[in-house]
Amino acid sequence: GKRGVELTETAPSSELHHEVGENEGFTPAKPKKKFKKLWISVTKEFKRQQIGVSFATVNGKLLVTKVNPTGLLRGTPLLPGDTILSINEVNFHVDPDAEEAYRLITSAGSDVTFEILKTGYAIDDDMSGTGSKSC
């Protein structure tokens, strides 16, 4: 009867091995493009201070068109081509009004927080955006 015991003992481990073998080389389907959300905050020293970003409404999105290399946003992950989703928790996803965004940034007391989506749009100099603003 000893042999029977040995067989039942080895069964679970061989099953386990079998499962591992099945999952080997299994790669989940890759999403076409992974958009990353980021929050970026800057603090203005005084109300009228420029934070060094330009944006425009392009194809129904509020897109960053330029980041000033000497401005407050330099060295942050904010790059031309990023989509601005919200500024100080005011949503620009549905109504991406560059004029409104400009007013919001310039009227902010000190902290300006952008919620952005890394969409990686190619920004051309002749980009046909509307209401391009710099602040």
Side-chain angles (χ1 to χ4, degrees):
K2 234 182 196 175
R3 203 164 263 192
V5 174
E6 276 173 29
L7 276 172
T8 52
E9 271 178 8
T10 56
S13 62
S14 65
E15 268 174 38
L16 220 127
H17 186 74
H18 186 61
E19 278 174 36
V20 170
E22 263 181 32
N23 289 335
E24 263 173 340
F26 170 75
T27 47
K30 281 197 179 84
K32 283 180 184 65
K33 210 165 189 190
K34 189 86 177 110
F35 293 149
K36 202 166 134 195
K37 253 190 210 186
L38 289 175
W39 280 262
I40 296 168
S41 294
V42 288
T43 303
K44 298 193 285 184
E45 287 163 39
F46 50 93
K47 197 173 175 177
R48 305 295 303 161
Q49 186 177 21
Q50 295 240 323
I51 60 170
V53 65
S54 303
F55 44 79
T57 306
V58 184
N59 300 332
K61 292 174 174 41
L62 190 60
L63 286 194
V64 176
T65 54
K66 210 166 147 196
V67 177
N68 189 324
T70 59
L72 286 179
L73 284 159
R74 72 182 182 282
T76 69
L78 192 70
L79 293 171
D82 290 344
T83 301
I84 298 172
L85 297 179
S86 73
I87 300 169
N88 286 357
E89 294 182 6
V90 176
N91 193 318
F92 285 93
H93 203 42
V94 181
D95 183 18
D97 185 348
E99 192 74 43
E100 182 62 31
Y102 174 78
R103 275 198 298 271
L104 198 65
I105 293 168
T106 51
S107 67
S110 58
D111 291 344
V112 182
T113 300
F114 293 91
E115 180 190 0
I116 62 158
L117 197 59
K118 301 299 274 178
T119 39
Y121 281 99
I123 297 296
D124 307 315
D125 290 335
D126 58 6
M127 194 167 60
S128 55
T130 56
S132 186
K133 285 284 186 191
S134 299
C135 50

